[in-house]
Amino acid sequence: MLKLRRLGIDTYQEAVIYMNRNCHVCRSEGFAAQSRVSVMLGAQHIIATVHIVSPELLRDDEASLSEGAWRTLQAQEGSGIEVSHPDPLDSLRALRAKVYGQRVDLPAWREIIADVVAGHYSDLHLAALVTACAGDRLDLAETIGLTRAMLEAGERLDWNRPLVVDKHCVGGLPGNRTTPIVVAIVAAAGLTIPKTSSRAITSPAGTADTMEVLAPVDLSVDQMRRVVEQEGGCIVWGGNVRLSPADDLLIRVERPLDFDSEGQLVASVLSKKIAAGSTHILIDMPVGPTAKVRSADAAQVLGDRLESVATALGVHVSVYVSDGTQPVGRGMGPALEARDVLAVLRREQDAPPDLRERALALAAEVLEFSASIARGEGLPLARRILESGDAMRKFEAICQAQGGLREPPRAPLTRMVEAASAGECVAIDSRRIARIAKLAGAPVAPAAGVELHARLGQRFDKGAPLYTVHAQAPGELEYALNYATRQRDVIRLEDR
Amino acid sequence: MLKLRRLGIDTYQEAVIYMNRNCHVCRSEGFAAQSRVSVMLGAQHIIATVHIVSPELLRDDEASLSEGAWRTLQAQEGSGIEVSHPDPLDSLRALRAKVYGQRVDLPAWREIIADVVAGHYSDLHLAALVTACAGDRLDLAETIGLTRAMLEAGERLDWNRPLVVDKHCVGGLPGNRTTPIVVAIVAAAGLTIPKTSSRAITSPAGTADTMEVLAPVDLSVDQMRRVVEQEGGCIVWGGNVRLSPADDLLIRVERPLDFDSEGQLVASVLSKKIAAGSTHILIDMPVGPTAKVRSADAAQVLGDRLESVATALGVHVSVYVSDGTQPVGRGMGPALEARDVLAVLRREQDAPPDLRERALALAAEVLEFSASIARGEGLPLARRILESGDAMRKFEAICQAQGGLREPPRAPLTRMVEAASAGECVAIDSRRIARIAKLAGAPVAPAAGVELHARLGQRFDKGAPLYTVHAQAPGELEYALNYATRQRDVIRLEDR
């Protein structure tokens, strides 16, 4: 038994235990720096990585935990813990087989995902899993197995209604923050849309990051249920409700690795939507040279895979292929995107028209999942709900139910980037624009990002504003501008 | 500029920087827990991972480093460091391409390996690289490219002699510690054999671990050069001489992941041998159901790959396929294996005969690389050198030159495992025997391991000793025995 002392070291989600090198447990068990150990506190249990500290920081009968591990174990100053060798992980056999190119079946996926959710995998194992599934390395049967295992590993909501709708964007297109608008319209029309969203993985903002600057999103399952019962819809962070908790853990290593995986994308999207109780799901799939999906053929392949896996799991998926040749809306970054969303919902004169029309088109498709809304009636209905102010009222009610609507913050530092020469805008590199927004601090700094002034086909004079970088810290502003000035043709102008 | 204060936290080789959450650099640069940052101290520079500490541990103008990073930067209490955003890694494009199944060419390998050696890759990136190369995922051209890039990334020795020999075992067979005996015989015969060895990756002992209980092995390149100039041979740890330094960094993540990779194995072996200046290399390849190479076909494939890559890099490789159906020698673990080696060299009556004969056979093959030793003359010559005591004298001289011969330690705790019933020994599971030795503490506890009393074909009465577990700590002894008693047929006896 060792006594806990809080050193207050924050390692984000990586569980670390700090022990003195002379500690009797280290000596008798043979633990050294980077050993993986099992830590028990009462009935709670985690696997952590050992870091060894000098006797000035901890006595030899003491140990400490990283802040995340401290919270997970609900530790108190002076709590007694037991530290021991962890059981060998049987699921590593299946992971190893996948790494060597063999296929993983459902029982093996269940073993792997159970160990991931229990926190038994080190970051190295998580990275190996993500790498082994990258690209097109999962076939249809494996993707169905992974989706089912991820679904089973978390909670699953049941709304006791025949039609529960949802929408999801496969991403890769900055801005394009249609979700809050679509949810408001669809809920205002009386449908049920229990929307859970993710935080950014590799983009400047996820829907949850954007929504968080407008209202609390870290609701529990019970809180989420009350919001949806009351208002017909919600926009909450999926990580807190533990629908498909494996996904949240995988995202932590996917983010720095930045690999695409078709199978993992499908499993991630569908496991979350099905766990949220959805029966009909619309997938917005933007296609463009710098979007995630780059061609009509690729959209077809991914769309087919989504539909096949959905069918195998007993839900309906429709794919809406949209224009992904340029960002949608003006803002990229949580607060900047939230401003665009509010402008559309508030029917402001200078609200971005592309974002409004995209959101209406998607809302129309979702509305038409309802048997009582005929093909072709969705779009005029969506427009009526938006223009009457019903959508804004519903959005306010949802925000209120989630904890209260707030105004997005503004960044203290901005810098405009101007056209180096005159010309017509012929291409916008979504990836590099998104990178600039991330270097400026998004999404961790919520007011940071990029405000885009250019659209394809527009003419610019030399010196006209192309985009504005927003930042909360001088170092980040400089870092983003350094990158931006080194790039050619992030926004390409041609003299026509 | 932040001032360094030593907190003395040991994270093994993972570079960590500790900063206060209120530190002005964190605020202006937007650093948070798990951010990857560039740390400059004078002309030295590393990439480290941020852990955030409470104001009780560090003031907001202070930072600390993990012990490994502290040493790498040659830091002093109070040294001033600069912390900034690291440059984006161009080589990640090549890594990503490999992960998606594309081939990596030589320039891309050079980029990847340069970033690995410079410490720019996080553990996640290293794990992704190892995973993407696992199994048979590298083709011949890629393996040649990786070998060349790893070779170029470190120092390369030149002995200015036409014939420089070496031997290597592809491993997977516990015990089999022939290297010290082969080097002693070959050097005593007047050949040049500058042997660098690795520490254990997934086994209870590497040759460097075993040799270290007999003499210092962490020699510099200059020290190694002097030993070889003087004695014709050496047995030093490859990690310290920075021949193929990328390999040592990859091994750190390979060890916990425990993936095999044919391409990486070939690149690892050949880059080290060629960097050591060898022209002729003998590969000992044990084949058996629980060895690394499990069939004659697999040995053929791996042997061909080694020979092809060696030819492309201008050196000669011979493959010696040996019996891998059971461990060679009695000991598994650094000190236990060292005892076997000394017993053979000292011509003790109870020296393990299988180890002696295996070492003689390998030494014979190496001797015959010499133009002046005819085919068939190698074995009698090797035996004469061993039996005359010349090999032991040469071994003592080499140990002396490396810093002095010492006697291997004995473990304070031992426990015998007995035959549960009578029978003939028909199978020995090398992998599980090795696992018991590792659980007992090997190789970190040098005296720990397993002493095997059984050989294939031997008859045992009920209660006769099969093997003895050696440990330095009670926890480790218990852990190894717990595992051992849960296993069936680690040593299989059948009533015939």
Side-chain angles (χ1 to χ4, degrees), chain B residues 394-420:
Chain B
K394 175 54 80 176
F395 186 71
E396 282 171 331
I398 290 172
C399 288
Q400 214 53 49
Q402 290 189 192
L405 178 65
R406 44 203 184 201
E407 280 300 309
R410 278 186 192 280
L413 308 167
T414 61
R415 191 82 64 81
M416 193 108 82
V417 175
E418 297 167 348

PDB file of all heavy atoms in Angstrom, chain B residues 394-420:
ATOM      1  N   LYS B 394      42.284 -15.442 -24.899  1.00  0.00           N
ATOM      2  CA  LYS B 394      41.894 -14.307 -25.750  1.00  0.00           C
ATOM      3  C   LYS B 394      40.671 -13.591 -25.148  1.00  0.00           C
ATOM      4  O   LYS B 394      40.599 -12.353 -25.125  1.00  0.00           O
ATOM      5  CB  LYS B 394      41.578 -14.802 -27.174  1.00  0.00           C
ATOM      6  CG  LYS B 394      41.046 -13.751 -28.133  1.00  0.00           C
ATOM      7  CD  LYS B 394      41.952 -12.531 -28.236  1.00  0.00           C
ATOM      8  CE  LYS B 394      43.137 -12.759 -29.140  1.00  0.00           C
ATOM      9  NZ  LYS B 394      43.953 -11.498 -29.277  1.00  0.00           N
ATOM     10  N   PHE B 395      39.726 -14.389 -24.616  1.00  0.00           N
ATOM     11  CA  PHE B 395      38.538 -13.778 -24.017  1.00  0.00           C
ATOM     12  C   PHE B 395      38.929 -12.900 -22.826  1.00  0.00           C
ATOM     13  O   PHE B 395      38.450 -11.774 -22.674  1.00  0.00           O
ATOM     14  CB  PHE B 395      37.532 -14.850 -23.582  1.00  0.00           C
ATOM     15  CG  PHE B 395      36.231 -14.286 -23.082  1.00  0.00           C
ATOM     16  CD1 PHE B 395      35.330 -13.698 -23.965  1.00  0.00           C
ATOM     17  CD2 PHE B 395      35.918 -14.311 -21.730  1.00  0.00           C
ATOM     18  CE1 PHE B 395      34.136 -13.160 -23.501  1.00  0.00           C
ATOM     19  CE2 PHE B 395      34.719 -13.774 -21.261  1.00  0.00           C
ATOM     20  CZ  PHE B 395      33.836 -13.200 -22.158  1.00  0.00           C
ATOM     21  N   GLU B 396      39.837 -13.428 -21.983  1.00  0.00           N
ATOM     22  CA  GLU B 396      40.312 -12.635 -20.836  1.00  0.00           C
ATOM     23  C   GLU B 396      40.993 -11.349 -21.306  1.00  0.00           C
ATOM     24  O   GLU B 396      40.785 -10.278 -20.728  1.00  0.00           O
ATOM     25  CB  GLU B 396      41.296 -13.464 -19.995  1.00  0.00           C
ATOM     26  CG  GLU B 396      40.593 -14.476 -19.111  1.00  0.00           C
ATOM     27  CD  GLU B 396      41.548 -15.452 -18.428  1.00  0.00           C
ATOM     28  OE1 GLU B 396      42.634 -15.729 -18.996  1.00  0.00           O
ATOM     29  OE2 GLU B 396      41.196 -15.942 -17.350  1.00  0.00           O
ATOM     30  N   ALA B 397      41.780 -11.469 -22.359  1.00  0.00           N
ATOM     31  CA  ALA B 397      42.488 -10.286 -22.864  1.00  0.00           C
ATOM     32  C   ALA B 397      41.498  -9.241 -23.379  1.00  0.00           C
ATOM     33  O   ALA B 397      41.655  -8.032 -23.150  1.00  0.00           O
ATOM     34  CB  ALA B 397      43.461 -10.701 -23.978  1.00  0.00           C
ATOM     35  N   ILE B 398      40.451  -9.715 -24.087  1.00  0.00           N
ATOM     36  CA  ILE B 398      39.434  -8.788 -24.597  1.00  0.00           C
ATOM     37  C   ILE B 398      38.714  -8.110 -23.422  1.00  0.00           C
ATOM     38  O   ILE B 398      38.522  -6.891 -23.410  1.00  0.00           O
ATOM     39  CB  ILE B 398      38.427  -9.528 -25.516  1.00  0.00           C
ATOM     40  CG1 ILE B 398      39.115  -9.927 -26.836  1.00  0.00           C
ATOM     41  CG2 ILE B 398      37.195  -8.663 -25.785  1.00  0.00           C
ATOM     42  CD1 ILE B 398      38.278 -10.833 -27.735  1.00  0.00           C
ATOM     43  N   CYS B 399      38.314  -8.910 -22.431  1.00  0.00           N
ATOM     44  CA  CYS B 399      37.625  -8.347 -21.259  1.00  0.00           C
ATOM     45  C   CYS B 399      38.529  -7.343 -20.563  1.00  0.00           C
ATOM     46  O   CYS B 399      38.093  -6.263 -20.155  1.00  0.00           O
ATOM     47  CB  CYS B 399      37.221  -9.451 -20.282  1.00  0.00           C
ATOM     48  SG  CYS B 399      35.852 -10.454 -20.887  1.00  0.00           S
ATOM     49  N   GLN B 400      39.786  -7.684 -20.432  1.00  0.00           N
ATOM     50  CA  GLN B 400      40.750  -6.788 -19.798  1.00  0.00           C
ATOM     51  C   GLN B 400      40.799  -5.466 -20.556  1.00  0.00           C
ATOM     52  O   GLN B 400      40.735  -4.390 -19.965  1.00  0.00           O
ATOM     53  CB  GLN B 400      42.123  -7.475 -19.794  1.00  0.00           C
ATOM     54  CG  GLN B 400      42.969  -7.157 -18.575  1.00  0.00           C
ATOM     55  CD  GLN B 400      42.220  -7.422 -17.276  1.00  0.00           C
ATOM     56  OE1 GLN B 400      41.638  -8.487 -17.104  1.00  0.00           O
ATOM     57  NE2 GLN B 400      42.183  -6.434 -16.383  1.00  0.00           N
ATOM     58  N   ALA B 401      40.893  -5.570 -21.891  1.00  0.00           N
ATOM     59  CA  ALA B 401      40.979  -4.362 -22.719  1.00  0.00           C
ATOM     60  C   ALA B 401      39.697  -3.538 -22.624  1.00  0.00           C
ATOM     61  O   ALA B 401      39.720  -2.317 -22.761  1.00  0.00           O
ATOM     62  CB  ALA B 401      41.260  -4.749 -24.176  1.00  0.00           C
ATOM     63  N   GLN B 402      38.568  -4.218 -22.388  1.00  0.00           N
ATOM     64  CA  GLN B 402      37.295  -3.482 -22.285  1.00  0.00           C
ATOM     65  C   GLN B 402      37.097  -2.889 -20.878  1.00  0.00           C
ATOM     66  O   GLN B 402      36.143  -2.141 -20.670  1.00  0.00           O
ATOM     67  CB  GLN B 402      36.116  -4.400 -22.645  1.00  0.00           C
ATOM     68  CG  GLN B 402      36.085  -4.736 -24.131  1.00  0.00           C
ATOM     69  CD  GLN B 402      34.823  -5.457 -24.618  1.00  0.00           C
ATOM     70  OE1 GLN B 402      34.823  -5.946 -25.732  1.00  0.00           O
ATOM     71  NE2 GLN B 402      33.765  -5.504 -23.813  1.00  0.00           N
ATOM     72  N   GLY B 403      37.948  -3.284 -19.919  1.00  0.00           N
ATOM     73  CA  GLY B 403      37.830  -2.679 -18.588  1.00  0.00           C
ATOM     74  C   GLY B 403      37.936  -3.677 -17.450  1.00  0.00           C
ATOM     75  O   GLY B 403      37.829  -3.293 -16.290  1.00  0.00           O
ATOM     76  N   GLY B 404      38.097  -4.971 -17.764  1.00  0.00           N
ATOM     77  CA  GLY B 404      38.302  -5.944 -16.698  1.00  0.00           C
ATOM     78  C   GLY B 404      37.234  -7.011 -16.612  1.00  0.00           C
ATOM     79  O   GLY B 404      36.047  -6.717 -16.634  1.00  0.00           O
ATOM     80  N   LEU B 405      37.680  -8.278 -16.500  1.00  0.00           N
ATOM     81  CA  LEU B 405      36.753  -9.418 -16.379  1.00  0.00           C
ATOM     82  C   LEU B 405      36.174  -9.472 -14.967  1.00  0.00           C
ATOM     83  O   LEU B 405      36.889  -9.245 -13.997  1.00  0.00           O
ATOM     84  CB  LEU B 405      37.525 -10.716 -16.675  1.00  0.00           C
ATOM     85  CG  LEU B 405      36.752 -12.043 -16.560  1.00  0.00           C
ATOM     86  CD1 LEU B 405      35.644 -12.145 -17.600  1.00  0.00           C
ATOM     87  CD2 LEU B 405      37.711 -13.238 -16.725  1.00  0.00           C
ATOM     88  N   ARG B 406      34.873  -9.774 -14.849  1.00  0.00           N
ATOM     89  CA  ARG B 406      34.281  -9.933 -13.526  1.00  0.00           C
ATOM     90  C   ARG B 406      33.441 -11.208 -13.484  1.00  0.00           C
ATOM     91  O   ARG B 406      33.036 -11.717 -14.525  1.00  0.00           O
ATOM     92  CB  ARG B 406      33.465  -8.694 -13.145  1.00  0.00           C
ATOM     93  CG  ARG B 406      32.571  -8.159 -14.245  1.00  0.00           C
ATOM     94  CD  ARG B 406      32.240  -6.672 -14.015  1.00  0.00           C
ATOM     95  NE  ARG B 406      31.291  -6.161 -15.014  1.00  0.00           N
ATOM     96  CZ  ARG B 406      31.138  -4.873 -15.300  1.00  0.00           C
ATOM     97  NH1 ARG B 406      31.853  -3.953 -14.682  1.00  0.00           N
ATOM     98  NH2 ARG B 406      30.263  -4.481 -16.211  1.00  0.00           N
ATOM     99  N   GLU B 407      33.173 -11.707 -12.280  1.00  0.00           N
ATOM    100  CA  GLU B 407      32.373 -12.930 -12.133  1.00  0.00           C
ATOM    101  C   GLU B 407      30.880 -12.573 -12.147  1.00  0.00           C
ATOM    102  O   GLU B 407      30.478 -11.588 -11.520  1.00  0.00           O
ATOM    103  CB  GLU B 407      32.721 -13.641 -10.810  1.00  0.00           C
ATOM    104  CG  GLU B 407      33.980 -14.467 -10.865  1.00  0.00           C
ATOM    105  CD  GLU B 407      33.927 -15.596 -11.903  1.00  0.00           C
ATOM    106  OE1 GLU B 407      32.975 -16.391 -11.926  1.00  0.00           O
ATOM    107  OE2 GLU B 407      34.882 -15.664 -12.722  1.00  0.00           O
ATOM    108  N   PRO B 408      30.066 -13.350 -12.815  1.00  0.00           N
ATOM    109  CA  PRO B 408      28.618 -13.067 -12.847  1.00  0.00           C
ATOM    110  C   PRO B 408      28.000 -13.194 -11.454  1.00  0.00           C
ATOM    111  O   PRO B 408      28.396 -14.062 -10.685  1.00  0.00           O
ATOM    112  CB  PRO B 408      28.057 -14.147 -13.769  1.00  0.00           C
ATOM    113  CG  PRO B 408      29.207 -14.834 -14.395  1.00  0.00           C
ATOM    114  CD  PRO B 408      30.433 -14.534 -13.601  1.00  0.00           C
ATOM    115  N   PRO B 409      27.006 -12.341 -11.124  1.00  0.00           N
ATOM    116  CA  PRO B 409      26.340 -12.434  -9.818  1.00  0.00           C
ATOM    117  C   PRO B 409      25.420 -13.650  -9.748  1.00  0.00           C
ATOM    118  O   PRO B 409      25.048 -14.225 -10.766  1.00  0.00           O
ATOM    119  CB  PRO B 409      25.519 -11.149  -9.763  1.00  0.00           C
ATOM    120  CG  PRO B 409      25.229 -10.820 -11.192  1.00  0.00           C
ATOM    121  CD  PRO B 409      26.427 -11.294 -11.972  1.00  0.00           C
ATOM    122  N   ARG B 410      25.071 -14.056  -8.492  1.00  0.00           N
ATOM    123  CA  ARG B 410      24.107 -15.121  -8.289  1.00  0.00           C
ATOM    124  C   ARG B 410      22.843 -14.539  -7.690  1.00  0.00           C
ATOM    125  O   ARG B 410      22.920 -13.655  -6.846  1.00  0.00           O
ATOM    126  CB  ARG B 410      24.663 -16.167  -7.321  1.00  0.00           C
ATOM    127  CG  ARG B 410      25.579 -17.155  -7.969  1.00  0.00           C
ATOM    128  CD  ARG B 410      25.988 -18.260  -7.002  1.00  0.00           C
ATOM    129  NE  ARG B 410      27.072 -19.028  -7.579  1.00  0.00           N
ATOM    130  CZ  ARG B 410      26.879 -19.981  -8.502  1.00  0.00           C
ATOM    131  NH1 ARG B 410      25.656 -20.289  -8.914  1.00  0.00           N
ATOM    132  NH2 ARG B 410      27.903 -20.634  -8.998  1.00  0.00           N
ATOM    133  N   ALA B 411      21.680 -15.066  -8.086  1.00  0.00           N
ATOM    134  CA  ALA B 411      20.407 -14.547  -7.569  1.00  0.00           C
ATOM    135  C   ALA B 411      20.206 -15.028  -6.131  1.00  0.00           C
ATOM    136  O   ALA B 411      20.495 -16.188  -5.820  1.00  0.00           O
ATOM    137  CB  ALA B 411      19.258 -15.032  -8.439  1.00  0.00           C
ATOM    138  N   PRO B 412      19.684 -14.145  -5.251  1.00  0.00           N
ATOM    139  CA  PRO B 412      19.454 -14.563  -3.865  1.00  0.00           C
ATOM    140  C   PRO B 412      18.253 -15.506  -3.731  1.00  0.00           C
ATOM    141  O   PRO B 412      18.162 -16.235  -2.745  1.00  0.00           O
ATOM    142  CB  PRO B 412      19.186 -13.246  -3.145  1.00  0.00           C
ATOM    143  CG  PRO B 412      18.696 -12.316  -4.220  1.00  0.00           C
ATOM    144  CD  PRO B 412      19.383 -12.728  -5.472  1.00  0.00           C
ATOM    145  N   LEU B 413      17.359 -15.500  -4.699  1.00  0.00           N
ATOM    146  CA  LEU B 413      16.129 -16.289  -4.582  1.00  0.00           C
ATOM    147  C   LEU B 413      16.039 -17.283  -5.732  1.00  0.00           C
ATOM    148  O   LEU B 413      16.185 -16.901  -6.893  1.00  0.00           O
ATOM    149  CB  LEU B 413      14.902 -15.370  -4.629  1.00  0.00           C
ATOM    150  CG  LEU B 413      14.906 -14.184  -3.659  1.00  0.00           C
ATOM    151  CD1 LEU B 413      13.820 -13.187  -4.019  1.00  0.00           C
ATOM    152  CD2 LEU B 413      14.714 -14.692  -2.235  1.00  0.00           C
ATOM    153  N   THR B 414      15.812 -18.558  -5.419  1.00  0.00           N
ATOM    154  CA  THR B 414      15.617 -19.546  -6.482  1.00  0.00           C
ATOM    155  C   THR B 414      14.466 -20.463  -6.093  1.00  0.00           C
ATOM    156  O   THR B 414      14.178 -20.651  -4.914  1.00  0.00           O
ATOM    157  CB  THR B 414      16.870 -20.425  -6.710  1.00  0.00           C
ATOM    158  OG1 THR B 414      17.142 -21.130  -5.507  1.00  0.00           O
ATOM    159  CG2 THR B 414      18.077 -19.599  -7.109  1.00  0.00           C
ATOM    160  N   ARG B 415      13.810 -21.011  -7.090  1.00  0.00           N
ATOM    161  CA  ARG B 415      12.741 -21.972  -6.830  1.00  0.00           C
ATOM    162  C   ARG B 415      12.757 -22.997  -7.964  1.00  0.00           C
ATOM    163  O   ARG B 415      12.777 -22.630  -9.144  1.00  0.00           O
ATOM    164  CB  ARG B 415      11.378 -21.265  -6.771  1.00  0.00           C
ATOM    165  CG  ARG B 415      10.237 -22.135  -6.259  1.00  0.00           C
ATOM    166  CD  ARG B 415      10.181 -22.206  -4.727  1.00  0.00           C
ATOM    167  NE  ARG B 415       9.891 -20.900  -4.151  1.00  0.00           N
ATOM    168  CZ  ARG B 415       8.668 -20.367  -4.059  1.00  0.00           C
ATOM    169  NH1 ARG B 415       7.615 -21.063  -4.472  1.00  0.00           N
ATOM    170  NH2 ARG B 415       8.488 -19.179  -3.539  1.00  0.00           N
ATOM    171  N   MET B 416      12.733 -24.264  -7.573  1.00  0.00           N
ATOM    172  CA  MET B 416      12.772 -25.342  -8.546  1.00  0.00           C
ATOM    173  C   MET B 416      11.349 -25.679  -9.008  1.00  0.00           C
ATOM    174  O   MET B 416      10.430 -25.693  -8.188  1.00  0.00           O
ATOM    175  CB  MET B 416      13.366 -26.576  -7.873  1.00  0.00           C
ATOM    176  CG  MET B 416      13.736 -27.659  -8.815  1.00  0.00           C
ATOM    177  SD  MET B 416      15.521 -27.740  -8.907  1.00  0.00           S
ATOM    178  CE  MET B 416      15.897 -28.722  -7.459  1.00  0.00           C
ATOM    179  N   VAL B 417      11.177 -25.958 -10.294  1.00  0.00           N
ATOM    180  CA  VAL B 417       9.895 -26.449 -10.792  1.00  0.00           C
ATOM    181  C   VAL B 417      10.095 -27.910 -11.185  1.00  0.00           C
ATOM    182  O   VAL B 417      11.027 -28.241 -11.925  1.00  0.00           O
ATOM    183  CB  VAL B 417       9.394 -25.612 -11.975  1.00  0.00           C
ATOM    184  CG1 VAL B 417       8.122 -26.196 -12.571  1.00  0.00           C
ATOM    185  CG2 VAL B 417       9.149 -24.166 -11.522  1.00  0.00           C
ATOM    186  N   GLU B 418       9.221 -28.777 -10.675  1.00  0.00           N
ATOM    187  CA  GLU B 418       9.434 -30.215 -10.810  1.00  0.00           C
ATOM    188  C   GLU B 418       8.442 -30.845 -11.790  1.00  0.00           C
ATOM    189  O   GLU B 418       7.379 -30.284 -12.057  1.00  0.00           O
ATOM    190  CB  GLU B 418       9.260 -30.883  -9.442  1.00  0.00           C
ATOM    191  CG  GLU B 418      10.288 -30.397  -8.428  1.00  0.00           C
ATOM    192  CD  GLU B 418       9.936 -30.808  -7.009  1.00  0.00           C
ATOM    193  OE1 GLU B 418       8.787 -31.273  -6.784  1.00  0.00           O
ATOM    194  OE2 GLU B 418      10.797 -30.654  -6.127  1.00  0.00           O
ATOM    195  N   ALA B 419       8.785 -32.021 -12.273  1.00  0.00           N
ATOM    196  CA  ALA B 419       7.909 -32.754 -13.189  1.00  0.00           C
ATOM    197  C   ALA B 419       6.648 -33.203 -12.437  1.00  0.00           C
ATOM    198  O   ALA B 419       6.747 -33.808 -11.364  1.00  0.00           O
ATOM    199  CB  ALA B 419       8.643 -33.961 -13.758  1.00  0.00           C
ATOM    200  N   ALA B 420       5.482 -32.891 -12.995  1.00  0.00           N
ATOM    201  CA  ALA B 420       4.219 -33.256 -12.351  1.00  0.00           C
ATOM    202  C   ALA B 420       3.943 -34.750 -12.475  1.00  0.00           C
ATOM    203  O   ALA B 420       3.217 -35.335 -11.682  1.00  0.00           O
ATOM    204  CB  ALA B 420       3.068 -32.458 -12.971  1.00  0.00           C
TER     205      ALA B 420
END
